[in-house]
Amino acid sequence: QLMEDLWPPSGGQTWRLIAQAVDDGRVAFNRACVHLEPWQVVSYTLSVAFLTLWLRRIMKSDRPMTQRIRAAVFSAVRNIPWVKAQISEEMEKARKDLEETIHESDRKKEFYKFLPERGLPPDAIISEAELYEAMSEYTFYDGRVSGVMYTDYDEEHRKLLEKIFTMFAYSNPLHPDLFPGCRKMEAEIVRIVCSLLHGGSPSCGTVTSGGTESIILACLAYRNRAYERGIRHPEMIVPITAHSAFDKASQLLHIRIHHVPVDKNQRADVGAMKRAINNETCMLVASAPNFPSGTVDNIEAISELAQRYGIPLHVDACLGGFLLPFMERCDFPVPAFDFRVAGVTSISVDTHKYGFAPKGTSLILYRDVSLLHHQYFCYGDWPGGIYATPTLCGSRNGCAIALTWATLLYHGRHRYTERTQAIIEAARLIRAGIENNPHLEPLGDSDVSVIAFTSDKFNVYALADRMNKIGWTLTSLQNPAALHVCITMNHTKAGVVDDFLRDLSSACEDLVANPELQQTRTAAIYGMASAVPDKCLVEEVSYLYLDSCYAMPAPVVVGRTLSIEGRKMSLIGGQPPVFPPSSLASATAGGPI
């Protein structure tokens, strides 16, 4: 009767058949469940619901299905009580080990916990700072460190920066009316770098605190642009070799990120990028060069995609932005990467790397002001007044801007060209040496200043530890396992390249001849990271390391000053009280370490 009421004979025959099939299914299901008790029906229903939600959660990830399932299973196993206890025990061991490693260079093991009651004399503070500076075992200027310190020691430049610092130490671009000189400096920095990257008069941008902020701001601008165009769930397409700041921006700004693979030369797979484009895509990303292998993506091909689909293209030139323009002047081959490529709508470039300015300044540049406006923030209803800022920060370090401005003017095109020539020549020599090493295989094309390499003869991370023991620091990479060396001005000094290649060859020979040397700390860490399917465990270990950077060292008991004031008196000639170990508890009650 129900069937006839819903679909009378005059209705469509197809719908009657569908309804009949549904009704037959209902009857069959009820018949199958007639022997079940109510609690069983509820339990089975909840189980199916939770399973559906679990599958839906792992399906939303961008990772391959097998990897998602492995991670989900591993995460479930971690919650088994005895497994959880074992992991906690190992984590505690890792924490202690990391803290000991962090504090190895701190010989005094003394730590400020409270503000001194009386201020210290400048000489005492300088003496203390010299002790802190001496904690590092690296001199940086001898050319044995990959990246980090990009400039060499230039006494004239240092004296200039000291003078500029005294003039602009407390300046704040948030108040351009109070610090008009600082405002002008920032505007001039933007115009200088826009011109360097062939931006033309419409190009614009802002100075930021570093490459990560520059990248986040670009993502913010394109997310806001997408919102304006009705895209509610914007997505960006990023090569797997692009800087992890894009992943940070993805989390902060709720932009879904699609990682696309790279080809054998470590360039973004343009075909994969094209297949990933959809109606929600708000930006494409390319690197000039990427950090892992130093390879410049095929920006012209990606630009064609961007123009065809009307999608903004951001070029991350944080690493190469102050080398590539001057490489052209030195007649080195340079792939197209800047605003001369029609589809490029924004570029991030660091002045605190090969611009040789002090940390931390960078720039985010746009082809025109309409894109920059999507980066700005303004709140007009605040009781404190209309609040508008160009970047993420409110108050900003005007002194850093002034130091960058002075650095650009100090070096000029000629000095930047000379330095670029020296850096790229050193990089080419090291690349050639690695190509001639029978135990190593170059990774990527090394288009600029980074040379990456791997090995199928031994664990390449063991090579990093081996080189570290003889005074060289290399950067460890993963996916695939590899190392790289980032060439700076300090590598251009006489004998550095030859010494590096000689020691690298010797270390390779040692590892081949003595396989037991491959069991090293770095090899174990990266081996664990690649083997564990649940990356949350890797994150937890990383967080332990970050926590250790802020941890206090274990106190030294015997002969130790037990108060800040006592310690400071010792620095200025006073006689601090020294307590015997037996009175430690009473002496330190409520006191500092």
Side-chain angles (χ1 to χ4, degrees):
Q1 181 62 43
L2 176 63
M3 291 289 296
E4 292 181 357
D5 290 342
L6 292 175
W7 281 277
S10 58
Q13 184 66 21
T14 301
W15 288 110
R16 287 180 59 82
L17 292 174
I18 293 174
Q20 183 64 53
V22 171
D23 190 61
D24 290 344
R26 177 184 62 82
V27 172
F29 184 79
N30 288 337
R31 188 178 296 118
C33 296
V34 70
H35 65 285
L36 297 177
E37 296 185 18
W39 70 268
Q40 290 177 300
V41 174
V42 173
S43 298
Y44 295 156
T45 302
L46 290 176
S47 298
V48 171
F50 283 125
L51 178 62
T52 302
L53 291 173
W54 179 73
L55 290 173
R56 181 175 179 270
R57 180 168 59 86
I58 66 173
M59 288 288 290
K60 290 178 69 177
S61 173
D62 293 330
R63 293 181 294 172
M65 177 61 69
T66 55
Q67 191 176 1
R68 297 180 222 168
I69 294 175
R70 286 174 58 200
V73 171
F74 189 85
S75 180
V77 170
R78 284 187 60 194
N79 289 320
I80 298 174
W82 69 268
V83 174
K84 191 173 184 178
Q86 183 68 24
I87 291 176
S88 297
E89 182 180 343
E90 293 299 321
M91 285 292 185
E92 181 61 20
K93 291 179 182 178
R95 183 191 65 78
K96 292 180 179 179
D97 183 51
L98 287 169
E99 288 190 9
E100 288 178 5
T101 302
I102 285 290
H103 296 300
E104 271 181 348
S105 57
D106 187 357
R107 295 176 180 84
K108 297 188 69 173
K109 299 293 190 297
E110 294 180 335
F111 198 91
Y112 285 97
K113 285 182 62 180
F114 305 104
L115 191 65
E117 187 65 30
R118 297 186 297 274
L120 305 180
D123 289 345
I125 297 172
I126 291 172
S127 297
E128 186 88 344
E130 288 172 346
L131 294 175
Y132 284 29
E133 183 186 33
M135 287 171 60
S136 175
E137 61 185 27
Y138 300 103
T139 59
F140 295 106
Y141 298 111
D142 58 5
R144 301 177 77 87
V145 176
S146 172
V148 183
M149 188 73 70
Y150 292 85
T151 187
D152 56 355
Y153 190 88
D154 182 339
E155 183 65 26
E156 186 179 34
H157 185 213
R158 287 295 184 95
K159 289 181 178 179
L160 169 65
L161 296 183
E162 289 172 4
K163 181 65 175 177
I164 296 296
F165 179 87
T166 60
M167 297 167 65
F168 291 91
Y170 293 98
S171 58
N172 183 359
L174 181 64
H175 306 285
D177 53 335
L178 301 180
F179 302 100
C182 189
R183 177 212 60 78
K184 184 179 179 182
M185 286 176 171
E186 180 175 12
E188 289 181 346
I189 292 170
V190 170
R191 184 47 45 203
I192 287 170
V193 182
C194 279
S195 300
L196 194 64
L197 301 178
H198 302 92
S201 57
S203 61
C204 53
T206 60
V207 175
T208 70
S209 61
T212 293
E213 186 184 2
S214 294
I215 288 171
I216 290 174
L217 286 171
C219 295
L220 173 67
Y222 295 134
R223 187 205 66 175
N224 291 343
R225 176 181 179 272
Y227 283 169
E228 187 179 81
R229 292 168 177 246
I231 298 175
R232 304 320 305 164
H233 304 286
E235 304 176 1
M236 57 178 161
I237 301 174
V238 177
I240 58 173
T241 50
H243 198 279
S244 55
F246 290 101
D247 296 270
K248 179 181 282 189
S250 171
Q251 290 188 19
L252 291 173
L253 304 174
H254 301 288
I255 305 173
R256 188 175 184 185
I257 187 167
H258 290 283
H259 293 100
V260 297
V262 293
D263 60 23
K264 63 180 181 179
N265 295 319
Q266 296 292 295
R267 288 189 172 84
D269 185 333
V270 180
M273 189 169 281
K274 178 181 178 180
R275 291 189 293 273
I277 292 174
N278 59 46
N279 292 334
E280 305 290 312
T281 303
C282 71
M283 65 183 293
L284 306 179
V285 172
S287 303
N290 64 53
F291 173 81
S293 66
T295 302
V296 178
D297 289 327
N298 188 345
I299 294 172
E300 287 185 303
I302 299 173
S303 168
E304 291 177 5
L305 282 181
Q307 290 180 283
R308 184 186 309 170
Y309 293 99
I311 302 170
L313 168 59
H314 177 77
V315 173
D316 175 24
C318 285
L319 185 59
F322 264 83
L323 287 177
L324 289 165
F326 300 105
M327 285 174 65
E328 290 187 69
R329 292 168 62 94
C330 301
D331 294 327
F332 288 110
V334 176
F337 79 100
D338 59 15
F339 286 120
R340 287 174 292 184
V341 182
V344 173
T345 53
S346 60
I347 302 175
S348 51
V349 52
D350 284 358
T351 40
H352 65 202
K353 288 189 175 74
Y354 293 104
F356 307 125
K359 302 288 182 181
T361 55
S362 174
L363 289 98
I364 173 63
L365 306 176
Y366 297 95
R367 183 173 288 276
D368 60 63
V369 74
S370 65
L371 296 171
L372 177 61
H373 285 178
H374 289 299
Q375 172 187 302
Y376 288 166
F377 172 82
C378 180
Y379 184 60
D381 293 330
W382 184 40
I386 298 173
Y387 184 79
T389 59
T391 64
L392 294 180
C393 299
S395 292
R396 290 189 292 151
N397 186 352
C399 185
I401 290 173
L403 296 176
T404 299
W405 174 84
T407 298
L408 294 177
L409 298 184
Y410 173 79
H411 285 90
R413 286 181 178 268
H414 181 70
R415 188 171 281 154
Y416 277 123
T417 302
E418 286 184 335
R419 289 179 160 231
T420 297
Q421 177 93 29
I423 289 170
I424 302 305
E425 285 179 352
R428 297 293 189 265
L429 289 173
I430 289 179
R431 167 79 185 205
I434 290 173
E435 289 175 343
N436 293 328
N437 189 316
H439 306 299
L440 300 176
E441 180 181 349
L443 183 68
D445 283 346
S446 306
D447 292 322
V448 193
S449 60
V450 170
I451 304 96
F453 52 93
T454 185
S455 176
D456 58 3
K457 305 293 178 61
F458 47 75
N459 189 319
V460 76
Y461 299 128
L463 177 61
D465 287 336
R466 192 75 179 163
M467 291 291 285
N468 187 262
K469 286 183 178 180
I470 55 179
W472 300 94
T473 63
L474 302 176
T475 303
S476 297
L477 312 174
Q478 60 179 347
N479 305 321
L483 305 175
H484 88 208
V485 56
C486 180
I487 307 305
T488 70
M489 273 304 297
N490 299 298
H491 292 93
T492 67
K493 295 177 179 177
V496 172
V497 170
D498 291 337
D499 290 346
F500 174 78
L501 292 175
R502 183 187 63 250
D503 289 346
L504 185 67
S505 178
S506 176
C508 290
E509 296 292 345
D510 288 345
L511 290 172
V512 171
N514 304 282
E516 68 276 6
L517 296 177
Q518 298 185 36
Q519 306 303 317
T520 66
R521 179 187 180 90
T522 304
I525 291 174
Y526 277 93
M528 179 274 292
S530 62
V532 174
D534 183 9
K535 296 306 177 185
C536 289
L537 193 58
V538 178
E539 289 179 3
E540 288 178 27
V541 175
S542 300
Y543 295 163
L544 286 178
Y545 172 79
L546 295 176
D547 288 342
S548 299
C549 291
Y550 295 93
M552 294 185 295
V556 178
V557 176
V558 179
R560 177 174 171 72
T561 299
L562 296 177
S563 73
I564 287 291
E565 277 305 296
R567 179 177 175 224
K568 294 310 124 188
M569 286 173 62
S570 70
L571 289 175
I572 59 176
Q575 295 298 321
V578 178
F579 297 91
S582 60
S583 61
L584 176 64
S586 60
T588 57
I593 290 180

